[in-house]
Amino acid sequence: MNNQPIDTSIYSTISEAIQTEAARVLSAGEVTAIVGYAAGRRKGSAQPIIITDHDDAKKLIFTPACVNNLAVYLTKAKKEIPKTGKVGIVAKGCDLKALVGLMGESQLKHEDLYLIGIPCVGVLASTVQPATELTTETIASKCCECDAHLPTGCDFVPDVALPPPPQLEGKYPAEIARLEALAPAERWAYWKEQFAKCIKCYACRQVCPFCFCEQCLCDRNRPQMVETTPRPAGNTAWHIVRAMHLAGRCAGCAECERVCPMDIPLNLLNRKMAKELKELFDYEAGFEVNDRGPLTTYTEKDDQSFIK
Amino acid sequence: MKKYISQQNLNTLLDNLIAEGRRVVAPRMSAGIPLYEPLTSSTEMVTGLLPRRSAKEAFFPVCEELMSYEKEGQQVKLTDVDPARFPETVLVGVRPCDAVAIPVLDAVFSWDYKDEFFLERRRKTTIIGLACTTADDACFCTAVGLSPTETRGSDLFLTPLVGGGYAFESCSAKGEQLITNHKELFTGQTKAKTLPLAAPQTEKIDVKKVKGWLDEHFEDPLWDGVAVRCVGCGACAFVCPACHCFDIVDEGTEKAGKRRKSWDACGFWKFTHHASGHNPRDLQPKRYRNRIMHKFKYYNDKFGQTLCTGCGRCVRICPVGIDIKAIIDTIMNSEC
Ligand code: SF4
Ligand code: SF4
Ligand code: SF4
Ligand code: SF4
């Protein structure tokens, strides 16, 4: 398909609505802080910001560069962010799924949050400069298969008419099909090459809302559980641990893949796991709080065909 | 008249070096991204893209073995890695912001302890720098007193010319030697103009003023303001040409294993986590403060140099948009 511009004209109305609402709830003392996005130094860039003063509400924006899933700041792993009182958070649909997932895992309670949901047509891919226009080619892959453009269950959603989201083909289903069709040795060769690039910077873990463990197993050295050095053995172990520990929890925000400085297609593993979860347990991340995750509960209907 | 080497002669040089058994490291595509890696042929070299990781890894690898151990009965056998076995290397197509970091790193690796792993590779490597023709708005070499034609750190320096090929300039005895050894490839002369070079537009950094501020502001609200959102990964340090912290671990079983050194980063919470459980840098802003302090104050106090070449990699890569240039600008423009 040709490169087509995507209509993001609602984003300026959304920005204004966020500013007004943030100023209102901060002034009224309904929240102690708001986690949102503000402009950065580089042209078109956006970055997370935490504001506590209603005067700062004017800094809040929403643009195609607002890629971050801010849910990570509300987890217990982010000790820097005081969790006193009710905190407001700006959340796109995919981010909201993560917040809902954290509620299901008893990490967050909706009554402690003020959810500002964003009607979203998409954000930029990590491969383009922040000032790039949003088009069918510059859009993030996750947005191509998004089913969460309009969040529900939030405390506030800017009143805008969401244009029909562009119908796009995501790269993941085709890529998963391609890998599934490979012989195991070829598939292994593919992942080996990808994992070889990993430098264990753990950006993927640090941005993941579900990686809130106080001490990641992969960091342990007394005793060492997996090799911590960035070498084939430890890298592979790390990626298996990551994929398995997020199966049935990953909300699909694809932050891990976005931030990987080595462009390792981490979300492919997540999507593959999501596909398995759907097939085996009819489970999908969504907007409904579910405190019985597919891999933490047992039912007699569970697939047992693997027991031989 | 400029001294000139054609693209073809450069390729011949690299292929001859490879044929002679030299390790030739250059930017090449590796599983989808440009990285400095050993070439098997000159055609693999890509010059238009900034490698995702810097050239420091030619001297200071992501991970390397320091020694190995083996236990037999009550006997433990230790085997050192012999740096004499490191290969003679030519590192080519190096960006000025990467090349200039190497002599900056010499200071720390040959200070109180002579790091043979770094220094032996350094002795055995000839660096061929390449002027930049493209920059984006994250590049700020010009702000730290460098430029897309900075030759410091390079032994031989290439500037791309209109119509192809390069003007070359020898910058050290190693560069001279390389030319002498392959003189038939370095005989060209040309009047061709240089290609339009990159010109990063950013506010200049007054390194002295920044250091002066840092001297006085170990405690300052700025740190919380800029770094409360830092998620504590190693991305900024790992892509940086000047960051050089490393960790050493023993990996293996009780019977046999290896001692390995690998990159470490001050953004990690474990970086200063004491065995007692205490952590003097318990929160992310204190860790990020160290990043700025180390680059613009401590290294300056110790070695009179700045630990940032303005390559912009950390600016581009930070998952949460922490922009070292924006922070230094804020410091520069602060009143007290
Ligand atoms: S996945 Fe959906 S909600 Fe998330 S950024 Fe893309 S379009 Fe918006
Ligand atoms: S972000 Fe990428 S390079 Fe860093 S640890 Fe994760 S997979 Fe490895
Ligand atoms: S601090 Fe950032 S801009 Fe400066 S040299 Fe390191 S990676 Fe490049
Ligand atoms: S500044 Fe950015 S890249 Fe560096 S540790 Fe913090 S989040 Fe990671």
Side-chain angles (χ1 to χ4, degrees):
Chain A
M1 190 167 85
N2 301 339
N3 194 16
Q4 301 284 334
I6 294 174
D7 179 8
T8 55
S9 54
I10 56 168
Y11 286 1
S12 57
T13 318
I14 290 173
S15 300
E16 283 165 31
I18 300 172
Q19 292 173 6
T20 315
E21 184 64 6
R24 187 189 72 74
V25 288
L26 279 168
S27 312
E30 286 179 33
V31 300
T32 53
I34 303 259
V35 189
Y37 305 97
R41 175 187 64 104
R42 295 175 71 198
K43 191 161 176 270
S45 66
Q47 62 198 30
I49 188 174
I50 297 139
I51 59 164
T52 52
D53 185 337
H54 62 87
D55 269 347
D56 287 334
K58 55 182 179 299
K59 293 184 183 160
L60 298 175
I61 58 164
F62 189 75
T63 70
C66 295
V67 288
N68 296 71
N69 181 350
L70 303 173
V72 70
Y73 290 113
L74 301 187
T75 67
K76 66 179 178 206
K78 283 300 293 171
K79 296 191 180 62
E80 299 67 21
I81 316 290
K83 317 275 188 314
T84 44
K86 204 165 172 155
V87 175
I89 181 164
V90 175
K92 309 181 288 288
C94 47
D95 310 334
L96 183 65
K97 285 185 186 177
L99 289 164
V100 164
L102 289 167
M103 291 176 204
E105 293 190 18
S106 306
Q107 297 299 312
L108 296 176
K109 292 198 196 93
H110 191 164
E111 58 261 37
D112 295 335
L113 304 175
Y114 190 79
L115 301 173
I116 302 177
I118 302 297
C120 172
V121 290
V123 295
L124 287 168
S126 61
T127 44
V128 299
Q129 298 274 344
T132 312
E133 184 197 6
L134 191 71
T135 69
T136 49
E137 275 175 13
T138 63
I139 194 169
S141 287
K142 65 170 177 179
C143 304
C144 299
E145 23 195 287
C146 174
D147 60 2
H149 293 286
L150 193 63
T152 58
C154 293
D155 302 296
F156 174 79
V157 177
D159 184 17
V160 291
L162 185 76
Q167 296 298 310
L168 298 169
E169 201 156 329
K171 72 171 181 191
Y172 300 115
E175 196 50 9
I176 289 175
R178 182 184 75 81
L179 288 169
E180 282 173 345
L182 293 178
E186 290 171 324
R187 194 156 57 230
W188 180 234
Y190 171 81
W191 284 113
K192 232 164 99 173
E193 193 187 21
Q194 291 298 334
F195 296 158
K197 290 186 293 183
C198 177
I199 47 178
K200 291 256 178 95
C201 71
Y202 291 123
C204 50
R205 178 182 73 190
Q206 297 308 100
V207 294
C208 178
F210 294 96
C211 281
F212 53 72
C213 294
E214 297 260 346
Q215 159 89 279
C216 177
L217 180 93
C218 297
D219 268 349
R220 287 196 80 96
N221 57 3
R222 287 187 311 175
Q224 190 182 63
M225 308 300 275
V226 303
E227 288 194 354
T228 57
T229 52
R231 292 180 61 261
N235 285 358
T236 307
W238 157 238
H239 287 282
I240 292 172
V241 168
R242 199 197 66 84
M244 295 310 289
H245 199 187
L246 290 162
R249 304 172 64 226
C250 169
C253 69
E255 280 287 84
C256 49
E257 181 169 293
R258 173 183 73 82
V259 303
C260 177
M262 297 297 114
D263 286 9
I264 300 172
L266 296 169
N267 198 37
L268 261 186
L269 293 171
N270 301 341
R271 291 303 91 222
K272 169 68 178 166
M273 293 318 254
K275 192 174 160 221
E276 300 278 312
L277 265 291
K278 177 73 184 155
E279 281 163 16
L280 290 172
F281 303 100
D282 194 28
Y283 168 83
E284 266 179 297
F287 291 157
E288 300 286 327
V289 178
N290 168 11
D291 57 8
R292 296 169 64 79
L295 296 188
T296 50
T297 45
Y298 170 76
T299 74
E300 287 184 357
K301 283 188 294 185
D302 283 353
D303 179 70
Q304 304 194 347
S305 60
F306 64 93
I307 305 172
K308 296 206 170 104
Chain B
M1 279 303 237
K2 301 181 179 84
K3 294 183 195 167
Y4 167 78
I5 180 166
S6 65
Q7 182 69 54
Q8 199 184 348
N9 277 5
L10 180 65
N11 289 357
T12 307
L13 172 73
L14 302 185
D15 289 328
N16 288 352
L17 289 165
I18 295 168
E20 281 168 22
R22 292 266 201 121
R23 189 172 75 127
V24 174
V25 176
R28 69 186 278 271
M29 293 309 285
S30 177
I33 56 169
L35 292 175
Y36 288 103
E37 280 187 347
L39 303 182
T40 55
S41 152
S42 63
T43 52
E44 290 167 1
M45 179 159 95
V46 292
T47 51
L49 301 165
L50 179 73
R52 217 49 90 72
R53 302 195 301 249
S54 83
K56 73 180 175 192
E57 64 186 285
F59 310 92
F60 172 43
V62 181
C63 178
E64 69 178 310
E65 187 183 323
L66 300 182
M67 64 160 212
S68 55
Y69 63 86
E70 244 176 298
K71 196 172 163 202
E72 257 197 44
Q74 291 310 305
Q75 296 296 315
V76 179
K77 194 173 134 223
L78 301 180
T79 313
D80 275 328
V81 168
D82 181 7
R85 296 217 310 260
F86 296 156
E88 294 280 342
T89 298
V90 175
L91 181 56
V92 54
V94 182
R95 294 288 180 125
C97 53
D98 278 349
V100 77
I102 308 301
V104 173
L105 291 178
D106 284 343
V108 70
F109 284 115
S110 55
W111 170 53
D112 57 343
Y113 176 78
K114 304 261 175 274
D115 187 311
E116 275 311 305
F117 293 85
F118 181 92
L119 295 174
E120 180 67 6
R121 289 190 178 94
R122 186 78 171 97
R123 277 190 282 275
K124 287 182 168 163
T125 304
T126 303
I127 301 176
I128 306 181
L130 175 64
C132 300
T133 48
T134 53
D136 65 10
D137 66 349
C139 289
F140 61 97
C141 57
T142 46
V144 289
L146 303 169
S147 83
T149 53
E150 174 65 48
T151 59
R152 184 167 173 243
S154 294
D155 299 303
L156 187 69
F157 194 78
L158 306 176
T159 309
L161 299 176
V162 174
Y166 308 88
F168 70 87
E169 182 187 340
S170 163
C171 321
S172 75
K174 274 186 189 169
E176 287 298 337
Q177 190 61 52
L178 188 74
I179 294 173
T180 313
N181 292 353
H182 303 268
K183 31 181 184 319
E184 68 290 356
L185 300 171
F186 287 95
T187 54
Q189 298 269 324
T190 186
K191 282 188 182 149
K193 285 209 171 75
T194 56
L195 278 180
L197 295 173
Q201 299 296 325
T202 54
E203 195 183 337
K204 290 257 176 304
I205 295 174
D206 178 345
V207 176
K208 250 198 169 136
K209 185 172 176 196
V210 171
K211 190 179 124 46
W213 189 90
L214 293 174
D215 284 340
E216 304 297 325
H217 293 84
F218 188 76
E219 301 291 350
D220 193 273
L222 176 102
W223 305 119
D224 265 357
V226 297
V228 76
R229 69 180 190 276
C230 172
V231 293
C233 63
C236 52
F238 288 2
V239 297
C240 177
C243 278
H244 52 263
C245 287
F246 57 82
D247 191 16
I248 295 178
V249 289
D250 290 348
E251 295 183 321
T253 64
E254 81 185 50
K255 288 238 159 22
K258 294 187 190 313
R259 175 160 298 173
R260 298 189 176 113
K261 162 178 159 192
S262 60
W263 292 354
D264 205 348
C266 57
F268 292 144
W269 73 272
K270 269 184 84 171
F271 189 80
T272 49
H273 191 237
H274 295 177
S276 67
H278 173 66
N279 194 339
R281 296 187 200 142
D282 54 346
L283 296 173
Q284 220 50 50
K286 295 187 191 168
R287 296 177 204 137
Y288 193 78
R289 171 178 62 198
N290 179 72
R291 179 168 172 77
I292 299 284
M293 286 282 181
H294 192 192
K295 290 187 176 298
F296 291 91
K297 171 175 159 54
Y298 306 146
Y299 208 76
N300 213 310
D301 284 339
K302 235 179 197 131
F303 304 116
Q305 306 198 66
T306 301
L307 216 43
C308 171
T309 68
C311 74
R313 279 195 184 84
C314 61
V315 177
R316 290 178 206 99
I317 221 74
C318 175
V320 297
I322 292 180
D323 178 339
I324 196 167
K325 179 62 170 57
I327 294 166
I328 297 299
D329 286 351
T330 308
I331 292 177
M332 286 262 298
N333 296 322
S334 68
E335 291 303 318
C336 48

